[in-house]
């Protein structure tokens, strides 16, 4: 139980395009989803937190207009990187936590999406 | 001072060796502590929680020293499959409270177990 999937697992795009990454909780209702970013040899950094049905809360230094987050249902959150640039190339990982069972008070991570912007 | 600091390693050890990792954290109000394991180009996976009384899970022992703001992970009888990066994670409670608060990750300590 408590499985989180991400799609796509990797994506290569041209500079200036937008990329959407999906994060799904497969067997539990994710009341809260987190989006992280990890650059090579760096630690995971929290970008934003989203609760189902409400606006995401962004960490300091993360542009909300560039990284659009939608958490429209209890099993799906999306992160859209708008007008991507090479410096946005990174490993994007989501995590989800729920209100019951194994997902209670524990963040379960998706497998990550590796974004390369040319 | 960084919120969570770890020796990046790498620690290169032979199979069967005992290896210890240390981690320090800066926020004395931190509430929860974890060790995660991250394989190359993969997501982090929870290895174990860290309690004030210390806890053991098979070959893995984690300890917390709140006074020194220090966390440790001991791996006994290392296996080749233990090769990974070990992430020290601290939860400060933050705006969500409890263990759903912000996870603050260290950069990780890389372990390489050789035959």
């Amino acid at each position: 139980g408590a499985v989180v999937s991400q799609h796509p697992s990797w994506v290569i795009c041209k500079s200036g395009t937008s990329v959407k990454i999906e994060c799904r909780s497969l067997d539990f209702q994710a009341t809260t989803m987190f989006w992280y970013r990890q650059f090579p040899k760096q630690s995971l950094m929290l970008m934003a937190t989203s609760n189902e049905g409400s606006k995401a809360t962004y960490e300091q230094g993360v542009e909300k207009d560039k990284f659009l987050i939608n958490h429209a249902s209890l099993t799906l959150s999306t992160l859209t990187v708008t007008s991507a640039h090479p410096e946005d190339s990174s490993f994007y990982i989501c995590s989800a936590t729920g209100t019951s069972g194994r997902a209670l008070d524990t963040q379960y991570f998706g497998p990550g999406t590796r974004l390369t912007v040319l | 001072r960084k919120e969570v600091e770890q020796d990046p390693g790498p620690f290169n050890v032979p199979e069967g060796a005992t290896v210890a990792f240390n981690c320090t954290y800066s926020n004395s109000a931190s509430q929860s502590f974890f060790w995660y394991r991250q394989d190359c180009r993969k997501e982090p996976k929870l290895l174990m929680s860290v309690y004030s009384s210390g806890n053991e899970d098979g070959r893995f022992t984690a300890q917390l020293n709140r006074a020194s703001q220090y966390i440790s992970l001991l791996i006994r009888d290392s296996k080749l499959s233990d090769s990974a990066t070990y992430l020290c994670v601290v939860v400060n409670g933050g705006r969500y409270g409890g263990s759903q608060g912000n996870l603050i990750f260290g950069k990780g300590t890389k372990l390489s177990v050789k035959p």
Side-chain angles (χ1 to χ4, degrees):
Chain A
V3 177
V4 177
S5 70
Q6 267 185 256
H7 178 80
S9 54
W10 58 270
V11 57
I12 301 173
C13 68
K14 291 182 179 179
S15 186
T17 60
S18 294
V19 175
K20 181 186 280 189
I21 302 170
E22 293 185 348
C23 177
R24 293 180 186 273
S25 57
L26 299 184
D27 53 2
F28 66 99
Q29 294 188 324
T31 48
T32 305
M33 286 184 164
F34 304 83
W35 286 96
Y36 295 83
R37 180 168 54 180
Q38 186 178 32
F39 293 106
K41 298 187 188 292
Q42 299 297 312
S43 55
L44 273 78
M45 295 297 292
L46 181 66
M47 299 175 67
T49 303
S50 70
N51 291 292
E52 184 264 339
S54 60
K55 288 184 179 179
T57 302
Y58 290 81
E59 295 301 303
Q60 193 171 11
V62 178
E63 300 174 57
K64 61 179 69 176
D65 294 330
K66 181 171 179 63
F67 299 98
L68 303 179
I69 291 172
N70 185 289
H71 191 168
S73 77
L74 284 171
T75 59
L76 173 66
S77 176
T78 60
L79 167 68
T80 301
V81 183
T82 61
S83 187
H85 291 284
E87 58 265 30
D88 297 323
S89 299
S90 187
F91 190 42
Y92 291 85
I93 308 176
C94 73
S95 71
T97 188
T99 57
S100 64
R102 292 190 64 190
L104 177 65
D105 282 353
T106 299
Q107 289 189 28
Y108 287 90
F109 287 84
T113 297
R114 194 160 297 280
L115 170 64
T116 301
V117 184
L118 302 176
Chain B
R1 183 181 171 187
K2 293 178 183 172
E3 290 196 72
V4 180
E5 292 204 63
Q6 293 181 253
D7 179 347
F11 284 58
N12 297 309
V13 303
E15 263 188 298
T18 295
V19 61
F21 305 137
N22 303 320
C23 167
T24 57
Y25 60 95
S26 61
N27 187 344
S28 59
S30 297
Q31 299 180 3
S32 305
F33 310 89
F34 305 91
W35 282 102
Y36 276 72
R37 171 195 167 126
Q38 186 174 26
D39 292 288
C40 188
R41 304 174 83 88
K42 299 284 189 183
E43 77 278 20
K45 292 186 191 289
L46 179 64
L47 181 64
M48 60 197 304
S49 303
V50 188
Y51 304 120
S52 297
S53 54
N55 51 306
E56 187 174 313
D57 183 1
R59 299 181 292 109
F60 299 85
T61 301
Q63 293 196 310
L64 166 65
N65 185 321
R66 283 189 185 271
S68 301
Q69 295 177 207
Y70 168 98
I71 304 158
S72 66
L73 176 68
L74 182 78
I75 305 176
R76 290 182 297 276
D77 188 22
S78 301
K79 311 289 184 193
L80 296 176
S81 56
D82 293 334
S83 297
T85 297
Y86 290 83
L87 309 176
C88 176
V89 180
V90 172
V91 180
N92 291 335
R95 58 182 80 90
Y96 309 106
S99 61
Q100 290 192 40
N102 277 6
L103 297 186
I104 311 296
F105 286 82
K107 285 188 179 181
T109 299
K110 186 171 182 179
L111 171 66
S112 181
V113 181
K114 307 290 187 185

